[in-house]
Amino acid sequence: MSTHILVIHRWRDRHALYDEYIDHDAHRVTYVTTDLGVVSVPGTAAAVRVVPATDDVTAVTAAVDGLSARYGPPDRVVALNEGDLDIAALVRERLGCEGQDTERLAPFRDKLVMAEAIAAAGIAVPVFADAPDEAAVRAFADVHGWPVVVKPRKGTASRGVVRLDTEADLALLRGLPAEPRIVQKFCGDAVFHIDGLWTGDRLGPWRASRYVNTCVDFTRGDALGSVEVDDPDLLPALGEFTAAVAGALSDEPWVFHLEAFVGSALGRVPRLTFLEAGYRVGGAEIPFVWREVHGIDLMRAAVDIQLGRRPDLPVPDAWRTGGWLLVPTPVAAPCRVTGWRLPEPPAPGEGPYAHVIPPVGDLIPRVGGYEHVGARFRFRGECSSDVEKAVVRTAAQFRLECAPQRPVGAGVVRHGACVR
């Protein structure tokens, strides 16, 4: 009897090319997805169940039970979005599937467990503590000083991250939903992300990028960009740091999205401090840039790992430079696009090579993450400086106009992206 593979899937775009990774004729491949995600499910799927949200435990459990009754319990469960890793682990435990369970997932999803593992390995990390309540945050700041950062232990996409500069800011915590949190000493160094594959004992292909603005700024309405770095003095240190982090969190293969603080120190040696890591391909446009600019599919490697296959990705002899830009909606979603304008670049190759801009009249849904934003852009070039100029120029010149789905006061709002 063929293998039953269950895929928990939420993207509308083609972030993952499942039909290229899994033989849908040789296996019974079923999908649990959403109304938005169903359009990118392969037509060769054995069955599809639509749920309100893929992190809705009750709905997903019911859908999986229905699929299991028809096709048998899944032999493997695939979930590629960070928001679906927890429920995939629960499904594996509940049905006795092979693969990552909640205990093995914890160092990648629970930021307190993650920070403890990194600190135990002797890797620099901002001082941290569990933050079960306001009193714990105050006690932490009394010892380590202000400002501090408080964030959910299982948050994604900078959801619920709060910077507190003084004791008076503790009031900001009172309106947040109840959930486990961690508190850390604030670090003002630049934030980089490093993406790639850990083979189990060494780095496979990897790329380091510097954020233009920050993920937290994006939640407040600023554009978010990223440019791959080509600094020959910085990259060796970042490679050593990344290998140390990846090995500290697992001695098995995994695809990583790692974030780190990068500051200057004596001489040309950078000061590297761990921020956090995800057991997944990076979000935003990262999977597309890797496929289109570098010819490497990190999603394929992530699927191979979850199916128990050893990932095998090529390492290019020479890398081009990629980058991306996200522009938020000018009003809170859901909102409808009423117009947009993007001037032609000064010369060919000095603008985005690809973009995803909702057409006029489209409704942008209220969905978390980086897919359903105002607009998405991808860039490539021969060096970091050229790509960064294109990112900054596009952010400054692009104009998006949206109207609230239920207008309150004035209707149309015009938005020019701000990249600092």
Side-chain angles (χ1 to χ4, degrees):
M1 183 178 293
S2 62
T3 300
H4 177 195
I5 299 172
L6 169 71
V7 180
I8 301 175
H9 163 73
R10 67 167 67 185
W11 292 299
R12 180 167 61 184
D13 207 343
R14 296 267 286 170
H15 288 68
L17 311 178
Y18 299 107
D19 47 354
E20 295 186 11
Y21 314 149
I22 306 170
D23 188 334
H24 284 53
D25 293 324
H27 306 284
R28 294 161 291 155
V29 187
T30 63
Y31 291 77
V32 174
T33 187
T34 64
D35 284 329
L36 291 172
V38 73
V39 297
S40 58
V41 171
T44 50
V48 181
R49 295 291 183 271
V50 176
V51 294
T54 50
D55 54 3
D56 181 328
V57 175
T58 301
V60 171
T61 298
V64 171
D65 286 347
L67 293 170
S68 298
R70 182 174 179 183
Y71 298 98
D75 299 276
R76 288 281 181 172
V77 178
V78 172
L80 301 178
N81 188 289
E82 185 168 37
D84 300 329
L85 296 178
D86 295 290
I87 199 162
L90 289 172
V91 169
R92 295 185 189 106
E93 288 181 344
R94 182 170 171 266
L95 299 181
C97 310
E98 292 188 69
Q100 189 180 60
D101 57 19
T102 53
E103 182 178 356
R104 290 163 61 192
L105 177 62
F108 305 101
R109 285 291 291 132
D110 187 324
K111 290 179 173 58
L112 179 61
V113 177
M114 180 188 300
E116 290 171 342
I118 294 299
I123 300 168
V125 58
V127 62
F128 62 91
D130 192 14
D133 50 36
E134 186 177 317
V137 176
R138 181 186 293 107
F140 178 88
D142 286 344
V143 174
H144 302 289
W146 304 93
V148 301
V149 174
V150 180
K151 54 190 176 183
R153 285 171 55 171
K154 290 191 175 182
T156 60
S158 296
R159 175 190 63 81
V161 177
V162 180
R163 172 177 164 172
L164 309 179
D165 292 311
T166 67
E167 185 172 351
D169 288 340
L170 288 168
L172 298 173
L173 301 177
R174 295 166 197 165
L176 299 177
E179 62 180 318
R181 290 185 170 81
I182 181 175
V183 58
Q184 289 183 292
K185 180 67 177 172
F186 173 78
C187 179
D189 290 339
V191 180
F192 283 53
H193 64 87
I194 305 101
D195 301 272
L197 171 69
W198 175 251
T199 67
D201 57 13
R202 65 187 183 280
L203 287 177
W206 65 278
R207 294 294 278 165
S209 304
R210 180 177 60 82
Y211 283 117
V212 183
N213 281 356
T214 70
C215 299
V216 174
D217 289 335
F218 183 76
T219 66
R220 297 168 180 164
D222 288 340
L224 175 64
S226 170
V227 178
E228 293 179 344
V229 297
D230 53 12
D231 183 344
D233 295 314
L234 177 59
L235 289 174
L238 282 173
E240 293 180 10
F241 178 84
T242 301
V245 168
L249 293 175
S250 180
D251 59 2
E252 298 178 350
W254 62 293
V255 173
F256 57 82
H257 175 70
L258 161 67
E259 293 186 329
F261 296 108
V262 179
S264 58
L266 295 176
R268 299 185 62 86
V269 180
R271 180 177 60 249
L272 304 179
T273 307
F274 177 80
L275 175 51
E276 57 187 53
Y279 184 90
R280 59 178 175 87
V281 180
E285 302 303 283
I286 292 171
F288 299 99
V289 168
W290 271 72
R291 280 203 300 260
E292 297 160 359
V293 178
H294 305 312
I296 299 173
D297 196 336
L298 287 175
M299 289 290 187
R300 178 186 294 276
V303 169
D304 283 342
I305 291 167
Q306 294 191 28
L307 293 181
R309 305 186 302 217
R310 187 163 188 85
D312 183 19
L313 294 180
V315 178
D317 294 329
W319 294 87
R320 294 197 73 192
T321 302
W324 49 266
L325 172 69
L326 304 180
V327 177
T329 57
V331 296
C335 58
R336 198 168 297 279
V337 178
T338 59
W340 60 268
R341 181 174 63 87
L342 178 63
E344 289 293 323
E350 295 186 5
Y353 74 83
H355 64 251
V356 180
I357 305 174
V360 172
D362 255 29
L363 178 70
I364 299 178
R366 185 180 180 84
V367 180
Y370 293 140
E371 180 181 13
H372 303 283
V373 297
R376 298 154 42 201
F377 302 90
R378 302 195 286 275
F379 303 82
R380 60 187 167 209
E382 296 305 319
C383 66
S384 298
S385 61
D386 288 347
V387 172
E388 183 168 5
K389 289 176 185 176
V391 169
V392 172
R393 182 188 303 114
T394 302
Q397 295 182 343
F398 177 68
R399 293 293 180 269
L400 179 66
E401 301 174 359
C402 294
Q405 176 65 1
R406 294 185 177 88
V408 177
V412 175
V413 178
R414 292 173 174 80
H415 178 68
C418 174
V419 168
R420 293 186 289 273

